[in-house]
Amino acid sequence: MINMSDIVKKYFIGTENEITVLKGVGLNIQDGEFVAIVGQSGSGKSTLMNIIGALDRPTEGQYLLDGTAIEDMDDGKLSDVRNQKIGFVFQNFYLIPRTSALTNVEMPLLYRGVGKKARHDRAVKMLELVEMGERMHHMPNELSGGQQQRVAIARALVNEPSVILADEPTGALDTKTGNHIMDIFTKINREEKRTVVLITHNNQLAQLTDRVITISDGEIISDIKTGGGAANL
């Protein structure tokens, strides 16, 4: 699934201000795992997330996603990888205003040229999976923060990606709502058999996953199996 070897990321290469953010990271995540990557601000976790999500390339090292080498791809191929293999969930929901939850979820399929009925049926299925079937015709401003995040999760799932990459997905939510979102991710991992990678600085949330990888100063300092278990399941 995700295989990284000796990943180095540098900025301002060849200048006096050259910075090495990732320092030879090695990381393997198997198909179907539910993993948290934790670290404080400046630890390198956001840079690592960008490389995992094919939003950036490493300066050195090899990254294989489903056996495909990422580091040498051009921008067009990286875009294809992001569209086909990775579903993104962010702290800010990025839903389109004045557009229903259903249409928001359909949008990635529209970009891929999927027909109207197939788009509709797939989007409805994903909204029902995240317990938003009864509110699919509501606009984002008619939904709570937790409901908007569930719509965003449905949108991330609709292209059937190999990996769900969630960047601080509960950061804008209260504790109870955040725990419910974690339950949704667990359901996706268990029932949909999706690989879920959670990026967070919240160690308590990280313990709800099956495995916690801690990064500090650009290096992985621990990799621990937790036993997992969602907050409310």
Side-chain angles (χ1 to χ4, degrees):
M1 172 57 67
I2 293 170
N3 303 105
M4 291 184 161
S5 303
D6 301 316
I7 295 294
V8 173
K9 184 61 182 180
K10 298 180 179 181
Y11 295 98
F12 311 114
I13 299 171
T15 71
E16 293 181 2
N17 298 323
E18 182 174 299
I19 299 171
T20 303
V21 179
L22 297 179
K23 304 171 182 177
V25 169
L27 175 63
N28 292 294
I29 297 174
Q30 301 303 316
D31 189 22
E33 283 197 276
F34 187 11
V35 178
I37 298 176
V38 300
Q40 298 302 312
S41 178
S43 63
K45 72 177 186 301
S46 294
T47 301
L48 181 58
M49 181 205 72
N50 287 340
I51 292 174
I52 292 172
L55 296 167
D56 200 359
R57 301 179 182 84
T59 307
E60 301 172 19
Q62 185 178 59
Y63 172 27
L64 300 177
L65 178 61
D66 283 343
T68 301
I70 298 298
E71 62 273 6
D72 297 324
M73 288 185 175
D74 61 25
D75 289 344
K77 289 183 178 179
L78 283 177
S79 179
D80 289 341
V81 167
R82 290 192 296 271
N83 290 335
Q84 296 169 17
K85 292 184 176 291
I86 302 170
F88 294 93
V89 181
F90 298 101
Q91 178 174 336
N92 298 313
F93 319 123
Y94 298 118
L95 300 180
I96 302 170
R98 297 182 296 280
T99 302
S100 71
L102 179 62
T103 302
N104 267 279
V105 175
E106 286 182 339
M107 202 62 66
L109 297 174
L110 178 64
Y111 292 146
R112 291 187 67 176
V114 176
K116 184 176 180 179
K117 185 178 187 305
R119 283 201 314 269
H120 177 273
D121 291 348
R122 178 67 182 165
V124 168
K125 181 180 177 181
M126 291 301 97
L127 284 163
E128 290 175 344
L129 177 69
V130 300
E131 303 169 15
M132 286 296 293
E134 293 183 358
R135 299 184 70 85
M136 68 176 67
H137 298 297
H138 286 69
M139 303 299 168
N141 64 1
E142 298 173 323
L143 303 174
S144 68
Q147 290 170 337
Q148 289 185 63
Q149 189 61 292
R150 281 187 271 163
V151 174
I153 293 169
R155 182 181 58 192
L157 284 167
V158 78
N159 270 335
E160 301 184 304
S162 303
V163 179
I164 298 295
L165 186 58
D167 181 21
E168 301 283 5
T170 65
L173 307 173
D174 62 73
T175 300
K176 181 178 179 180
T177 306
N179 285 340
H180 186 58
I181 293 300
M182 290 299 293
D183 286 345
I184 295 291
F185 281 123
T186 300
K187 181 178 181 181
I188 290 164
N189 175 250
R190 303 290 194 265
E191 296 183 9
E192 288 286 300
K193 310 300 183 185
R194 302 291 174 199
T195 303
V196 180
V197 180
L198 172 74
I199 311 296
T200 184
H201 69 278
N202 188 321
N203 284 298
Q204 184 176 0
L205 283 180
Q207 294 301 317
L208 300 176
T209 70
D210 298 323
R211 177 181 168 200
V212 179
I213 298 166
T214 304
I215 185 169
S216 178
D217 195 26
E219 299 178 299
I220 290 176
I221 60 171
S222 69
D223 187 342
I224 300 171
K225 295 278 189 179
T226 67
N232 299 312
L233 287 179

